[in-house]
């Protein structure tokens, strides 16, 4: 797959932000054995999320050492935060399917099963019925068209209808009628929770969609702002 120019720009920003001091050489990445405190342990202990076993600032369950990026977060009706998927490993990013729940009342994390597919750079949208729609994203090799639903009441994942186009780095917003608008790479689709199907809408006026922000306005319109185009790093439209 030919890398998108935006991906190159994102990588450039990642390299710039991941630690090259002015006039110096890149900072070494933490080894898998390094702990949060900077000491070394031959067998890092994973966080189990039990009450009192960690502070609110402790790392995620998936890994104590490497940061998680490209994941999604969703505020559930019960006040918990659902953190799904993303990438681990700085040198060779690997998508994961793991899911965690953050309880703001206790400041602790707990595992919440796994998605059907490992993915990152996806969208996660809380639907009117309390389900969370996870759609699209990347698995490193390709963008994805599949979608799945998280039942916040039962804590389970089920597959739903796939998108017409594989979209990574897209944006999504819940509309007033309960449908979800997903936009990426000058392409837009609507998800109907009642039928579990996607419908392609009109193409965008400007070549935007990657990492754009999408905001539902009081009159029902959706404002798309900024983001990246296929032929450039960023747009102001």
């Amino acid at each position: 797959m030919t890398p998108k120019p935006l991906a190159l720009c994102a990588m450039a920003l990642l390299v710039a932000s991941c630690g090259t001091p002015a006039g110096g050489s890149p900072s070494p990445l933490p080894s898998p054995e390094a702990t949060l405190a900077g000491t070394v342990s031959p067998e890092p202990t994973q966080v189990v999320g039990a009450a009192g076993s960690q502070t609110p600032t402790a790392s995620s369950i998936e890994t104590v050492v490497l940061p998680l990026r490209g994941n999604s977060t969703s505020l559930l009706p019960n006040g918990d935060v659902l953190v799904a998927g993303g990438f681990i490993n700085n040198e060779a990013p690997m998508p994961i399917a793991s899911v965690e729940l953050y309880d703001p009342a206790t400041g602790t994390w707990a595992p919440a099963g796994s998605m059907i597919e490992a993915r990152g750079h996806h969208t996660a949208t809380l639907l009117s019925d309390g389900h969370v729609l996870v759609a699209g994203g990347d698995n490193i090799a390709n963008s994805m068209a599949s979608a799945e639903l998280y039942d916040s009441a039962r804590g389970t994942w089920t597959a739903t209808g796939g998108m017409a186009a594989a979209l990574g780095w897209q944006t999504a917003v819940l509309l007033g009628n309960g449908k979800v608008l997903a936009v990426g790479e000058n392409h837009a689709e609507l998800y109907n929770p009642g039928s579990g199907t996607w419908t392609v809408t009109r193409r965008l006026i400007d070549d935007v969609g990657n990492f754009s922000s999408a905001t539902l306005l009081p009159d029902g319109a959706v404002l798309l702002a900024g983001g990246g185009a296929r032929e450039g790093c960023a747009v102001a439209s």
Side-chain angles (χ1 to χ4, degrees):
M1 181 182 71
T2 303
K4 306 182 185 73
L6 177 61
L8 296 179
C9 298
M11 287 300 294
L13 291 174
L14 180 61
V15 170
S17 63
C18 282
T20 301
S25 58
S27 300
L29 293 169
S31 67
E33 293 77 19
T35 64
L36 291 175
T39 60
V40 175
S41 172
E43 296 181 358
T45 302
Q46 290 188 334
V47 178
V48 295
S53 65
Q54 63 180 75
T55 64
T57 57
S59 285
S60 65
I61 293 168
E62 181 62 30
T63 174
V64 175
V65 180
L66 298 176
L68 187 65
R69 61 185 175 86
N71 56 290
S72 63
T73 58
S74 306
L75 181 63
L76 302 181
N78 66 356
D80 288 348
V81 178
L82 181 76
V83 179
F87 298 97
I88 59 173
N89 197 336
N90 287 324
E91 293 181 311
M94 179 180 67
I96 61 172
S98 300
V99 182
E100 307 172 36
L101 283 173
Y102 176 72
D103 184 347
T106 61
T108 57
W109 295 86
S114 296
M115 294 186 293
I116 299 171
E117 295 186 75
R119 68 182 78 214
H121 296 150
H122 51 278
T123 57
T125 308
L126 179 65
L127 305 180
S128 302
D129 62 1
H131 286 74
V132 176
L133 171 69
V134 168
D138 293 314
N139 60 9
I140 293 298
N142 299 289
S143 294
M144 307 170 67
S146 61
E148 47 192 293
L149 291 170
Y150 176 74
D151 187 334
S152 59
R154 295 180 174 85
T156 57
W157 291 88
T158 56
T160 187
M163 306 177 74
L167 296 178
W169 301 354
Q170 78 275 14
T171 187
V173 62
L174 180 67
L175 304 181
N177 60 6
K179 295 182 179 181
V180 176
L181 175 68
V183 179
E185 295 200 23
N186 200 23
H187 176 86
E189 300 188 29
L190 283 172
Y191 176 75
N192 185 338
S195 61
T197 57
W198 295 84
T199 303
V200 177
T201 70
R202 295 181 180 180
R203 293 184 65 81
L204 279 68
I205 297 174
D206 292 312
D207 193 10
V208 299
N210 293 332
F211 289 134
S212 298
S213 64
T215 306
L216 180 65
L217 303 180
D219 64 357
V222 174
L223 173 67
L224 287 176
R230 288 193 299 270
E231 298 177 356
C233 277
V235 295
S237 59

